């Protein structure tokens, strides 16, 4: 299990390859990568991601441990960036390795659902006309009810 | 106790962190105490349903006790991922 | 959309990076990678994958098109190998890109479920003591009923 | 018409592909015709529930018509992924 909270960018391909190079018993590897989307108006200058150092690592570790306890997983990876990002930049990724695909998929979705609403990150969209904190979506909170 | 503010709560109150000496028994008591202090606190805490609180880096509730707590953080709902 | 049926190995990391480098409108990228698992006895010499040239490409294309029609996706990738593989080798991968994670996850699971039971591949496990065709699992056929 | 065999069906019948002149109206008729030919066909087709059939590279059924079909393939349930 690896949890990384970092300002610098990460290489999805290198991370995926390193993660998948683990135990041969893991027949199924799932990755999810979040990418900064531009605004509908196409004028996103910067996406600023604030976080709560200390709590962030604790919250992500707890979510990952919970996933390891609920599904039969060989390994879990969570990387989340903070700081200033641009449209097209990769914000975060999770990866799960399991014997069976069902466990790998469900655990990855669980990680994403909890990470969205329970890890202390806040996004701010900065355009030439101002800055707006991204509002939490009801559907993200609702997504937790299925677990 | 250390009190931390994040995102728009931090912006509205105008600082990321402060040290507070308080006798507040619960988070709600602390909120009332801070809100009475200055308008910027009252503005930040106007709608508690739009806020979350963490005690010693664990998500908690506004009616939770502050006994033994060293760090309180206020922030809006998270938007990671 | 890209469908590749090939004997040679593929680089998961390079494929994931190339796939994720597409449209900025895709905030969510999911990949699934299947890896040859060793047998419980630890003596898998070779996993031989037979396929039906012509039908394989048609079936995978149809499954991918169906996924594009059912979910709001920016892109889909399917790579599946055939021939002789060893434990730890990567057999196949699918990737989905979407604005929202729910579409990316569901479409990837759909692709996997259909690919398992509707694309003409057959696996044979070869050990020092003989060769066995892998039997289809009822649970893989049952997985289709949820779509 | 071309008839193709895959996986253990191919191994049991002993060839991957053959050209067959037939008047069989349906897949089932073709199976009966082949099974009557030789034991190895009868053995391969003994349990149709363990077999799948594709007509011109599309999955089909044993009661489907062969009219206009150029390529028939028999194989066990797929195990890709």
């Amino acid at each position: 299990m690896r949890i990384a909270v970092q300002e610098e960018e990460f290489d999805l391909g290198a991370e995926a390859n390193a993660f998948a190079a683990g135990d041969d018993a893991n027949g199924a590897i799932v990755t999810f990568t979040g990418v900064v989307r531009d605004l509908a108006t196409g004028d996103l200058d910067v996406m600023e991601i604030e976080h709560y150092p200390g709590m962030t690592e604790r919250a992500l570790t707890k979510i990952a441990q919970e996933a390891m306890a609920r599904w039969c997983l060989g390994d879990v990876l969570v990387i989340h960036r903070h700081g200033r990002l641009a449209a097209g930049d990769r914000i975060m990724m999770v990866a799960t390795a399991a014997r069976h695909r069902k466990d790998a998929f469900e655990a990855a979705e669980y990680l994403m659902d909890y990470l969205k609403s329970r890890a202390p990150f806040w996004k701010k969209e900065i355009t030439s006309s101002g800055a707006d904190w991204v509002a939490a979506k009801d559907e993200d909170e609702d997504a937790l009810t299925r677990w | 106790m250390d009190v931390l503010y994040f995102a728009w709560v931090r912006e509205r109150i105008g600082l990321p962190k402060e040290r507070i000496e308080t006798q507040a028994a619960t988070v709600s008591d602390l909120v009332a105490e801070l809100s009475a202090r200055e308008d910027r606190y009252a503005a930040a805490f106007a709608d508690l349903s739009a806020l979350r609180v963490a005690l010693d880096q664990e998500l908690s509730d506004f009616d939770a006790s502050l006994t033994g707590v060293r760090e309180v953080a206020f922030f809006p709902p998270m938007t990671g991922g």
Side-chain angles (χ1 to χ4, degrees), chain A, chain B:
Chain A
M1 190 175 109
R2 186 163 81 86
I3 308 292
V5 180
Q6 62 189 51
E7 192 154 355
E8 58 274 21
E9 56 187 353
F10 61 90
D11 182 331
L12 161 60
E15 295 291 349
N17 272 343
F19 185 78
D23 194 341
D24 279 4
N26 299 318
I29 312 283
V30 169
T31 71
F32 177 93
T33 308
V35 180
V36 178
R37 274 195 291 145
D38 203 345
L39 301 170
T41 46
D43 62 350
L44 180 73
D45 287 332
V46 172
M47 160 85 78
E48 210 170 87
I49 302 181
E50 183 171 334
H51 80 119
Y52 182 171
M55 180 171 167
T56 309
E57 292 78 359
R58 287 167 65 114
L60 294 178
T61 300
K62 193 174 156 191
I63 294 166
Q65 283 170 339
E66 185 69 26
M68 298 280 283
R70 288 180 66 146
W71 287 277
C72 186
L73 300 177
D75 201 5
V76 167
L77 167 69
V78 179
I79 302 174
H80 204 302
R81 296 177 65 192
H82 57 90
R84 295 167 69 84
L85 285 78
D89 284 356
R90 288 151 201 184
I91 305 176
M92 50 72 59
M93 76 176 284
V94 303
T96 53
R99 288 178 69 82
H100 302 293
R101 74 184 186 284
K102 190 166 182 295
D103 291 287
F105 270 121
E106 284 190 7
E109 292 194 65
Y110 174 92
L111 289 170
M112 285 307 304
D113 283 352
Y114 271 83
L115 188 152
K116 279 261 170 195
S117 304
R118 292 292 181 271
F121 291 100
W122 301 275
K123 290 184 186 133
K124 190 180 196 173
E125 292 167 341
I126 301 168
T127 67
S128 52
S129 53
D132 281 304
W133 289 99
V134 173
K137 290 188 208 130
D138 287 344
E139 67 194 68
D140 283 333
E141 188 65 30
D142 294 348
L144 301 186
T145 59
R146 65 170 159 156
W147 304 113
Chain B
M1 131 194 329
D2 288 323
V3 182
L4 285 69
Y5 310 107
F6 292 96
W8 60 254
V9 183
R10 171 179 55 71
E11 291 178 339
R12 214 165 282 184
I13 292 178
L15 79 178
K17 185 174 179 176
E18 59 186 320
R19 197 163 184 88
I20 289 178
E21 299 304 324
T22 179
Q23 301 304 317
T26 68
V27 177
S28 293
D29 293 343
L30 176 63
V31 166
E33 189 179 310
L34 290 168
S35 296
R37 251 200 209 174
E38 277 183 62
D39 281 354
R40 58 195 169 106
Y41 289 95
F45 290 118
D47 178 10
L48 290 190
S49 74
L51 289 183
R52 300 289 180 269
V53 60
L55 303 183
D56 290 332
Q57 307 190 350
E58 293 279 352
L59 275 179
S60 188
D61 297 302
F62 285 89
D63 54 5
S65 162
L66 291 179
T67 307
V69 170
R70 288 155 306 156
E71 185 172 304
V72 179
F74 294 104
F75 42 77
M78 290 93 142
T79 55

